[in-house]
Amino acid sequence: MNQDQPTCHSASPEPSPSETFVAFTAGLWKQNPVFVMVLGMCPTLAITNSVRNAIAMGLATTFVMASANAFISMVRKLVPKQVRIATYISMIATSVTIVDYLVKAISIPVYKALGPFIPLIVSNCLTLERAESYAGKNPIGKSILDGLGMGLGFTFALTCLGTVREVLGAGTFLGFPLFGSNFEPWVLFLLPPGGFITLAMWLLTFTLWRERSDKRKRAREAALEKPVEIAS
Amino acid sequence: MNWLSSRSFSQGVHVPEFKDATCRLPIRRLPFAPVLIVPLSQHTGAPAVSIVREGQEVVRGEPIAKAGGFVSVPMHAPATGRVERIALAPTARGDLSPAIFIKPYPGASQEILYGAPQDIEHMTPEQIIAAVQETGVVGLGGAAFPTHVKMKLPEGKRVDTVIVNGCECEPYLTTDHRVMVEQPAEVLAGARIAMKAIGASRAIVGVEDNKPDAIDALRKAAAPYTNLTIQSIAAKYPQGAEKILIQVLLGREVPSGGLPSDVGTAVFNVATLAQIGDLLPRHQGLIERVVTITGPGVAKPGNYLAALGTPLRWALEKVGCNAGVASVILGGPMMGAAVGSLDVPLTKGVTGVLVLTSREVNGSRKIYPCIKCAACVEACPMHLNPSRLGLLARKERYEEMENVFHLNDCFECGSCSYVCPANIPLVQYFRLAKQMNRKRKAIA
Amino acid sequence: MKPVIELRTSPHLHAPRSVETIMRNVVYALLPICAYAVWLFGASALALLVTTTAACVATEIFICKMSGRESSVGDFSVIITGLLLGLILPPGFPLWMAAVGGFIAVAPGKMLFGGLGFNVFNPALVARAFLQAAFPVAIMGYTPALAVHRLSEFIPTTFAIPLIKAAPLAGWIEKTRVDAFSGATPLMLEKFDHVHSELWPLLIGQRAGSSGETPALLIFLCGAYLILRRFMDWRIPAAMLTSALVSSAAFYFSDPSRYPNPFFMLLSGGMMLGAMFMATDPVASPVTPLGIWIYGSLIGLITVLIRLKGGLAEGVMYAILLANAMSPLIDNVTQPRSYGARGKEVA
Amino acid sequence: MNESLSHIFVDALLINNFVLCVFLGMCSFIGLSGKFSTAWRMGVSVMFVIIVSSILSYGTNLVLVRFHAEYLRIITYIVIIAATVQLTEMFIKKTSPALFRAMGVYLPLITTNCAVLAVPLFQTSRNYSFVQSVVFAIAASGGYTIAIVTLSLVRERVELSDVPSLAKGTALTLVLAAILSMAFMGFAGMGNGG
Amino acid sequence: MTNSWQMIRLLGAVSLLCGLLIVGTQVNTAARIRSNQETIMRESVARLLPGIEKQIVYGIQPSGDLIILPGIEVSGPRFFAGYDAAGNFLGVVMEASERGYADVISAMYSYSPDTRTITGFQVIDMKETPGLGNKISSDLPFLENFKHLDATRPIATVKHGAKKNPWEIDAISGATISSRAVGRMLQKSVAEVAPVIERNLDRIKRGQ
Ligand SMILES: Cc1cc2nc3c(=O)[nH]c(=O)nc-3n(C[C@H](O)[C@H](O)[C@H](O)COP(=O)(O)O)c2cc1C
Ligand SMILES: Cc1cc2nc3c(=O)[nH]c(=O)nc-3n(C[C@H](O)[C@H](O)[C@H](O)COP(=O)(O)O)c2cc1C
Ligand SMILES: Cc1cc2nc3c(=O)[nH]c(=O)nc-3n(C[C@H](O)[C@H](O)[C@H](O)COP(=O)(O)O)c2cc1C
Ligand SMILES: Cc1cc2nc3c(=O)[nH]c(=O)nc-3n(C[C@H](O)[C@H](O)[C@H](O)CO)c2cc1C
Ligand code: SF4
Ligand code: SF4
Ligand code: SF4
Ligand code: SF4
Ligand code: FES
């Protein structure tokens, strides 16, 4: 992949080897693929009009990422530079095909609900991004953890969106009615614009939250600095 | 209103004229001020070079400075008197520039003793151009560009038509109007001199139809000449801008960044030609000009023949200023600049002095964001998009303004600012943008 | 004489009109329509107009305060938004939903972009599109004009409890004793049941519809006032109505049994209100002369296509929003050729 | 379904617009719509790659079906797309360096654009004929281009406004996309109403 | 040279690995997937024809003749015939689809050749608007239409509350377009398939 591409959402510095745990947690929160890196937008918007589908999609993606990361990490030392992307893509496509069949075998209704978005995990930029920037450089254990972490972070984000959309749009959560049958649903949230709006709201919330915590952190640092100044 | 036969252009604005206060008053002479301040740079181009010493006596019409190059003109003494000093004097732009201070002798006859008749019929175009330079005449329409430079065509250019600009589309001003009414013969004589110098075969005088007496006077004077046409055109601002006038009269469009000579024409203001027609046969220098002094703040508005160098404060005292003067503007209300000091002199380029009271100036208008009403786009005579230019200027995207939206074609006529309901200071933005672009280019 | 001199830059003259004047006059032009709407549809229409306007104004004040800006309510534009939003909703629309709409119009529809002049889309229509997608059933609950108890009684849906489904309208409509009212607007009747409407009731607004969209003649006259006083660009309604007329005439003459009379197209639905007051929102329309014609024609054409070929009975709102979205493009490709430009054009 | 070509066209272009209604190619729609110059180049590149890879996938699918190897669809389609992108890149680089400088950066991004993979997948699952597939590819990629170009111009206009700092960035882009997508709801049911 | 040879070998190995994995999955899940699909179909049919114990899938050939299909994977013009435990013919279940408001609606419905009525209706797949169009699968009054829908006359959809005749469908208010689509799909499908069934009714009743 081209290094100077316009939307290079490259991740923050790699976690150091001693912090294997970080490989897992980063994706959940600090480098959340949806809220922070803004990757994998298509399923995020398309498959979140119910919590059930959101979770299913998230787990399918998690599986692909963990297994693709595992394959790639295994062969990373053998693959010459020229065919790196081709190899990665084949491996991801393999994982996806496997998931495709597995979901079909588990539940046809879920498979129908996810529509074309399972095969499309192949071209989900998140998958390739992690393959390139993490699994291609790290040992297998950590790569799997990274895939799992990122995948679960993705699942978490999808669930966040799915919850808002399902609760407001249908008045239910995971299919259970929350407000009784007289609730007036806001159909909009189940429709395409609702996807955009919900994601915008979540991003705004995150920006607000981050700004607040930044401010608090700065305040704390300032408070810490003062006594040092006095001492010197 | 014979709107069928009247020519005009498609954009522009109809601005209230305010010309009634002065347009019927004959030109009167303003007395000499105790001190006349003659700046060495009253024109576009290189400043003139002083040829007098402090304390020297000068006679009215005597050259006191010589041209500082080809794009420059000499200066002549506006009055008989003594050169008091040569020092820095404030200018209308707000900075200081060297000027010759002359103290007129109160008792002198003030006769013009300089000059000798010359036979224009037998002069070559080169001789005429040289003679025009010696008169010190520059564009009296406001730009003060040396007239002889305009007459000297670049290699390979040909001009077939001289256009005489008698539009005077700025509100309040009636200088050109009075000149046309009172000196039609001089205007036409000047036009014929210009034709000869340039080698043009005809001249068209464009006059807006709100000056029927001027049209009559010129038509009468032009009767003997077949190659002089007086064309009445429907009044609209800014018809007097030369690019627009050329389009209205000839249907030709001066290319962006080009000159009138690119489309075979040259444009002269009526007052400029009247001075040439008057001074050239006598080989004299330009020492005074007609200035409209008007506005709600003036007690005796009118057109005054003022010696060049008359300080503004003195001129205003002579015409009487009402209380509550808030702003004094050199030129018309649409393009003129407010002055910061009343000590600046009236120079060759000053067409009028407009005095506004606090009633016009105050109640300063609230600025709203652009509501994209398109009024400015409808108004811009250059077919620019002032709305977009204004938005870009707010974001300091000056380069884009120049490269994509033709900023440099804007001649700052103010039509857009005039109509803008959001009161956005568009022209001010555009001036700033041009300045920033020049600065950026100078650094690069 | 020592005058205090003020240094200002040219031009020193200014045309008398300001943004505030324009907006205030648009409000004046809307008031007769509002009054007529109240007469046609009664107390509920009044409550609706008050609610939308109050919600819009309150949202604007709130956001100005939050962001520490000077309140911009004084420019009257938000009142136009509020009144128009009320006029384009069905008279019995639940007030709580209308309030949500007022918030949507001003918060994401206008202030998010920086307030007056910066929004890309017509705020009132953004709100209506939101409401139509969020509450498609409620927004199709039309009631007849001139119902008997309209001035003394509210339409029951008006006071629906927030977040709770509104009661059905059928009972109330029966009580109003308007003969054979089916709960459908003339456009719906035409489209879904092929029932044609008379033109005269359309002209004077005695039909079902959004509270302020029905009196085509009155709307035209109010718009004409703004046009004559040059507060509004006549070219947009001219282009929009002409293109709607021409394109629907093309359909009509291809198959008169299937497609409605072109004049029906002009007088029904929100065509007149859209043409006179909503497509003309200067903020969301192009500024170039050619662009304005293209923009207006595009709205007329899309409206007719949606009405005759689409799944919905009415298309003015979507047509205007789509044209709003296209207006930056239209503006860019129709930059006027500047005086003296040599073939070089704006990219 | 034996859908008519015009219906396939209008459906993929407007009614079920790939970007605004089906949510495909979202990352580039959000990430590359900041500038018109970028957006239309991306749009043209995507159109080209989608049309070529749709044709190639149609042929490949015939072979896969013939040998009952449908399980290789995903992997072959993505390889076709990656190869098309690679070849296009090499071809442009050779024939027009100027065009390559303008378009070069966008080409690699297309491989990870869901919209590109979706076209062959959809045409297969809907059993489109060859002509139907091509029309579908043109309309779907045209719909992508319309959406990204429109959004880019709207965003360029919003650049000139005083957007509150809090709302700047992706959230604002999403709100614009939401309004666009609401406006596109007007096309719903086009061609089969009344 | 050796370099590219190595590369080719590597790519070959990768492809082999991928291929093996995919084929492995496919082989292991195929049976499961088929049985899943069959279950779904069978459940749908059972819901439309209560009491069904045995079903036969008939394919309609271009000539108009019937053949018995081996299973549900074979698509194309077809219908299901259902029988109770005693082997008595219960009716047929047919598939139909039509463009609705948002996209194609596909559905199954049961038909009784003896009375020439439609006796049940079930949506299989649709993308209609939640809360409006998607009521065609859940709205009880609407589904009531299909308990006894006369198919001897052209089926017509009428506005909500305007149903007067047994061959009319009372539309869902606010979702007229989706309701119409249902009417159209039934009308088209009955017109196409009913004559074929009629001609072969004896054979179907016998279950051959
Ligand atoms: C640098 C410069 C060079 C010019 N050269 C010529 C010239 O060669 N011939 C000419 O007719 N006018 C020339 N002009 C004058 C312009 O055409 C124009 O008349 C002058 O700028 C005043 O016009 P305005 O009052 O409309 O601004 C020149 C002006 C400038 C600033
Ligand atoms: C907006 C604008 C308005 C102008 N109006 C007049 C006018 O009314 N009368 C006039 O003589 N010159 C007017 N000018 C200046 C002319 O463009 C031109 O410079 C002048 O006629 C040339 O004659 P001069 O060099 O003899 O002054 C105007 C220029 C501009 C940019
Ligand atoms: C957002 C939205 C979604 C809609 N979805 C459907 C739908 O899924 N099915 C349908 O028949 N009508 C739908 N409609 C409404 C139709 O366009 C049309 O207005 C309605 O079918 C008319 O029915 P009525 O005459 O019973 O009121 C929708 C309208 C909107 C605004
Ligand atoms: C002629 C005219 C029409 C207008 N139409 C609308 C409108 O349809 N919707 C709206 O919200 N504001 C309208 N406004 C008010 C104002 O332009 C609008 O609130 C801005 O879009 C806010 O930036 C209109 C203003 C004028 C002058
Ligand atoms: S793989 Fe990710 S980090 Fe690397 S260049 Fe591509 S987008 Fe940037
Ligand atoms: S000042 Fe410039 S932009 Fe404005 S109207 Fe005049 S020429 Fe056009
Ligand atoms: S006149 Fe003023 S408000 Fe109107 S478009 Fe121009 S700049 Fe904007
Ligand atoms: S698809 Fe991935 S690589 Fe392409 S623009 Fe989106 S984030 Fe970037
Ligand atoms: S997930 Fe579809 S383009 Fe990124």
Side-chain angles (χ1 to χ4, degrees), chain B residues 370-371, chain C residues 19 22-23 26 30 60 75-82 84-85 88 105 109-110 115-125 226 231-233 273-274 276-284 320:
Chain B
C370 170
I371 58 162
Chain C
V19 167
I22 297 179
M23 298 294 171
V26 176
L30 284 173
E60 182 140 324
D75 62 34
F76 284 91
S77 70
V78 68
I79 298 180
I80 303 180
T81 307
L84 277 170
L85 179 59
I88 56 179
K110 176 176 171 188
L116 175 67
F118 293 125
N119 47 302
V120 185
F121 297 92
N122 187 323
L125 290 179
L226 291 179
F231 290 122
M232 183 164 106
D233 200 320
L273 190 70
M276 287 294 170
F277 288 94
M278 314 210 69
T280 46
D281 181 358
V283 174
I320 296 178

Side-chain angles (χ1 to χ4, degrees), chain D residues 31-86:
Chain D
L32 295 182
S33 55
K35 276 218 175 74
F36 170 70
S37 53
T38 317
W40 77 261
R41 288 196 179 112
M42 185 67 185
V44 171
S45 318
V46 165
M47 278 191 86
F48 181 79
V49 173
I50 284 191
I51 293 168
V52 170
S53 53
S54 154
I55 294 173
L56 294 180
S57 316
Y58 184 83
T60 315
N61 187 47
L62 291 183
V63 177
L64 290 182
V65 171
R66 170 84 181 67
F67 291 101
H68 296 288
E70 286 93 346
Y71 46 81
L72 289 180
R73 246 179 222 150
I74 297 176
I75 200 164
T76 47
Y77 287 177
I78 191 75
V79 167
I80 286 174
I81 290 167
T84 310
V85 170
Q86 199 76 51

Side-chain angles (χ1 to χ4, degrees), chain C residues 111-276:
Chain C
M111 301 312 274
L112 182 72
F113 300 102
L116 175 67
F118 293 125
N119 47 302
V120 185
F121 297 92
N122 187 323
L125 290 179
V126 167
R128 196 190 194 276
F130 180 93
L131 293 174
Q132 173 144 4
F135 311 113
V137 178
I139 212 165
M140 273 184 292
Y142 291 104
T143 50
L146 296 174
V148 181
H149 301 292
R150 65 186 188 280
L151 294 174
S152 56
E153 244 178 66
F154 288 98
I155 302 170
T157 43
T158 295
F159 289 106
I161 307 161
L163 301 180
I164 299 296
K165 272 204 179 80
L169 274 169
W172 187 82
I173 290 175
E174 243 153 61
K175 214 176 85 183
T176 59
R177 279 181 259 133
V178 172
D179 289 341
F181 180 75
S182 65
T185 64
L187 272 173
M188 289 159 134
L189 291 173
E190 177 74 47
K191 180 162 195 134
F192 301 118
D193 303 317
H194 300 278
V195 173
H196 304 301
S197 307
E198 300 281 321
L199 291 187
W200 176 247
L202 297 181
L203 215 50
I204 59 166
Q206 291 182 1
R207 59 167 172 98
S210 297
S211 56
E213 72 176 17
T214 61
L217 189 62
L218 178 66
I219 295 168
F220 182 83
L221 292 177
C222 291
Y225 160 79
L226 291 179
I227 287 176
L228 291 179
R229 295 209 52 196
R230 293 180 176 271
F231 290 122
M232 183 164 106
D233 200 320
W234 63 275
R235 293 169 294 182
I236 294 175
M240 176 172 159
L241 295 177
T242 312
S243 100
L245 192 70
V246 168
S247 48
S248 58
F251 277 107
Y252 178 69
F253 289 115
S254 76
D255 188 354
S257 64
R258 203 159 139 225
Y259 295 111
N261 181 334
F263 289 99
F264 169 77
M265 291 303 263
L266 290 198
L267 300 179
S268 57
M271 181 70 90
M272 199 53 85
L273 190 70
M276 287 294 170

Side-chain angles (χ1 to χ4, degrees), chain B residues 203-225:
Chain B
I204 304 176
V205 189
V207 188
E208 287 194 343
D209 58 9
N210 55 359
K211 309 176 194 47
D213 48 345
I215 297 174
D216 284 347
L218 286 170
R219 288 228 165 110
K220 226 169 270 159
Y225 308 105

Side-chain angles (χ1 to χ4, degrees), chain D residues 1 3 7 11 15-16 71-72 75 126 185 188-189 192-194, chain E residues 18-19 22-23 26 97-104 177 180 184:
Chain D
M1 279 290 283
E3 287 177 85
H7 198 278
D11 187 272
I15 306 173
N16 281 310
Y71 46 81
L72 289 180
I75 200 164
R126 295 180 189 174
M185 283 172 62
N192 53 300
Chain E
C18 294
I22 291 176
V23 172
Q26 202 255 348
S97 61
E98 180 66 45
R99 279 210 146 259
Y101 177 80
D103 209 341
V104 178
I177 294 177
R180 288 237 164 107
R184 274 203 310 275

